[in-house]
Amino acid sequence: MIATQQSLSRSTVARYAVGSLGTGGFATLPGLVLVYYLTESLGVAAFVAGAVVTVAKVWDVIIDPVIGARSDRMLAVRGSRRAMMLVGAVALPVFFLLTFAVPPGTPTWASALWVFLAFLITATAFSLFQVPYIALPAELAVGYDERTRLLTWRVVVLTFAILLFGAGGPALRQLGGGSGFVAYFVMALVAGLVIGAGMFVSAYVAPRQQPAAVLPPRESVLATLRTNYSAGIGALRDSQPFRALLLTFLLQGLATGMMLTGANYIATWVLHSEDAVTLLFLALIGPALVVTPVWGIVARRIGKERGFRIASVLFGIGALSMLLLLWLPGAWVYASVALAGAAYAGMQSLPMSMLPDVISHDARRNGPGKAGTFGGMWTAGETTGMALGAAAFTTVIGIAGYVSGAADPSAATAGITQPTSAVAGIVLAFSIIPAAIVAASLVPLVRYRLRKGDVDDVV
């Protein structure tokens, strides 16, 4: 389905954007507290805790293309993707709460298994919403500029959600006592309801149309899996713009994943301040909130692809400048992080508004009905990049001699020290390595050749 609405209403833009309250919250809060909950509240070994979270991310990568293809079939059969999104919106708060509701006194192995299963189902519920949600812009908005407008406001809400849950999640935990069953139960209950509410409201923006005259044939489970993965590979094979854009976004997810993972280490072992984590977070997200609409203006003036390149270069400069922390740690770093945050807003909003352009371009060349497949591949690529970013950071500091188990900020005041090489590794993994990865991402971006005229010709 390709959009026929020439001008987006404010209601459509707002209802689509509010979905990012859910996607941003789920992307942020588990990453902040889940491993800590496993190790500190449930007594699970750090290696096992890391495996629980990593396997859930790998599961996302496996199922996202399948969900995308099933979303396309649902659109053909029922005329809308809404039902799948609603299932995800209703199920996620329930299993998110269960993830953080392990009864006191449960054996360690059973606690780890409980969290693993609950979080796996939570991640699946999230994908049921997220994958069709990403496919919707091609069905909601016609034209290059209208999609930029739609996705710009989505990223504004996404950035706000990251700030809200990044600061609000730990605050909710403190309201419940700071640790233990009640603290995490209160946090998960409130946060889960807010995440689910944003997703539920946004699901109703999914348009309805007449079901397809000729429905796709029903298949066995194995045949369905084979067909769905073949569809994802086919999307990569048939759409050169999609290959270029997805590889760029995956590499940039790797770079930003490294920096987000490293923020706490920089605060503890380089800036020697427990408050620095919050300040780094505010310095990154605050400018992004303000600057996101500006990137929409830039896209309309010079094109999304050129704006995306500019944002990427600015982010690389901000990251590279933090190499100076090796010799001159200090509060100046917040200015560099603010530059990276302003650029990060463009690195999110512009490629997200380019994706529906790619989908409509492919529909003209190869036929409609694959938006969910593109969305599934996109979500899998994004998840892969962020997961690899965390793995890459820990690999670098491990090689540099980091003393494991000393990442808690309180460790810096408990007599634990890091070797000089480990501190250098933290800085390198936070600065020059992400900057080099972003520079490498410009290579596939140069090969992205869709322009405004190409996209509006589809209309």
Side-chain angles (χ1 to χ4, degrees):
M1 174 181 174
I2 300 300
T4 58
Q5 185 176 353
Q6 294 294 326
S7 180
L8 288 169
S9 67
R10 291 183 179 178
S11 172
T12 298
V13 174
R15 283 184 295 153
Y16 183 73
V18 79
S20 284
L21 187 65
T23 61
F26 185 75
T28 301
L29 193 54
L32 281 176
V33 301
L34 186 54
V35 171
Y36 189 84
Y37 170 67
L38 283 161
T39 58
E40 303 305 316
S41 289
L42 304 181
V44 177
F47 174 78
V48 176
V52 166
V53 177
T54 301
V55 170
K57 291 181 179 179
V58 172
W59 174 246
D60 270 351
V61 174
I62 293 171
I63 64 170
D64 284 346
V66 177
I67 290 175
R70 303 318 296 168
S71 173
D72 286 337
R73 178 179 173 83
M74 178 175 285
L75 180 65
V77 173
R78 301 188 179 184
S80 178
R81 306 179 192 273
R82 185 181 299 170
M84 180 178 286
M85 298 172 71
L86 286 172
V87 170
V90 171
L92 187 143
V94 176
F95 289 99
F96 188 75
L97 178 62
L98 285 175
T99 300
F100 293 94
V102 179
T106 302
T108 301
W109 67 268
S111 297
L113 182 61
W114 176 302
V115 173
F116 171 72
L117 293 175
F119 190 62
L120 197 71
I121 300 173
T122 305
T124 303
F126 177 71
S127 289
L128 289 175
F129 174 85
Q130 167 81 342
V131 172
Y133 178 70
I134 287 175
L136 286 182
E139 300 167 14
L140 293 172
V142 169
Y144 189 87
D145 291 331
E146 282 295 278
R147 288 170 185 157
T148 301
R149 176 184 167 217
L150 180 67
L151 272 298
T152 294
W153 287 106
R154 175 195 165 187
V155 173
V156 169
V157 176
L158 176 67
T159 306
F160 171 75
I162 293 171
L163 184 60
L164 175 67
F165 285 90
L172 286 170
R173 186 176 58 187
Q174 288 300 119
L175 286 176
S179 62
F181 177 84
V182 174
Y184 283 98
F185 189 90
V186 169
M187 180 203 72
L189 176 63
V190 176
L193 288 174
V194 174
I195 291 170
M199 294 163 63
F200 188 85
V201 170
S202 192
Y204 282 93
V205 81
R208 289 192 178 277
Q209 64 171 7
Q210 286 298 112
V214 180
L215 301 179
R218 290 189 176 275
E219 300 175 318
S220 67
V221 174
L222 290 178
T224 298
L225 290 173
R226 183 170 60 251
T227 300
N228 293 345
Y229 280 107
S230 296
I233 295 171
L236 288 171
R237 181 191 63 241
D238 296 338
S239 177
Q240 187 278 332
F242 184 57
R243 291 196 303 272
L245 188 62
L246 181 60
L247 180 56
T248 301
F249 200 63
L250 188 154
L251 287 172
Q252 294 190 354
L254 171 59
T256 55
M258 289 188 73
M259 296 185 72
L260 289 172
T261 303
N264 193 63
Y265 296 85
I266 287 288
T268 302
W269 302 111
V270 179
L271 300 178
H272 303 290
S273 170
E274 295 183 19
D275 296 329
V277 176
T278 301
L279 295 175
L280 285 169
F281 201 81
L282 291 173
L284 179 72
I285 301 302
L289 269 174
V290 175
V291 172
T292 296
V294 176
W295 287 113
I297 298 172
V298 170
R300 288 191 291 272
R301 293 284 181 86
I302 67 173
K304 301 175 192 179
E305 67 289 338
R306 291 179 64 189
F308 190 15
R309 284 200 295 269
I310 292 171
S312 302
V313 170
L314 290 176
F315 185 91
I317 292 172
L320 185 61
S321 68
M322 287 182 270
L323 183 62
L324 292 173
L325 287 169
L326 280 174
W327 305 282
L328 189 65
W332 62 265
V333 72
Y334 300 122
S336 294
V337 173
L339 174 61
Y344 178 72
M347 290 165 59
Q348 288 289 299
S349 62
L350 296 176
M352 286 181 183
S353 66
M354 292 158 75
L355 178 61
D357 296 339
V358 169
I359 294 172
S360 61
H361 178 264
D362 179 79
R364 180 179 63 170
R365 296 184 61 192
N366 302 309
K370 295 187 291 184
T373 298
F374 279 95
M377 294 298 291
W378 183 265
T379 303
E382 180 180 17
T383 302
T384 299
M386 295 300 290
L388 290 176
F393 182 88
T394 54
T395 298
V396 170
I397 65 173
I399 293 173
Y402 183 78
V403 179
S404 62
D408 191 318
S410 64
T413 60
I416 299 175
T417 59
Q418 294 290 345
T420 302
S421 61
V423 176
I426 291 170
V427 174
L428 293 175
F430 191 75
S431 58
I432 191 170
I433 297 177
I437 295 171
V438 169
S441 76
L442 295 175
V443 176
L445 183 56
V446 170
R447 294 179 56 81
Y448 180 86
R449 299 189 180 96
L450 282 187
R451 300 296 183 263
K452 187 177 188 297
D454 302 319
V455 175
D456 286 342
D457 280 348
V458 175
V459 180

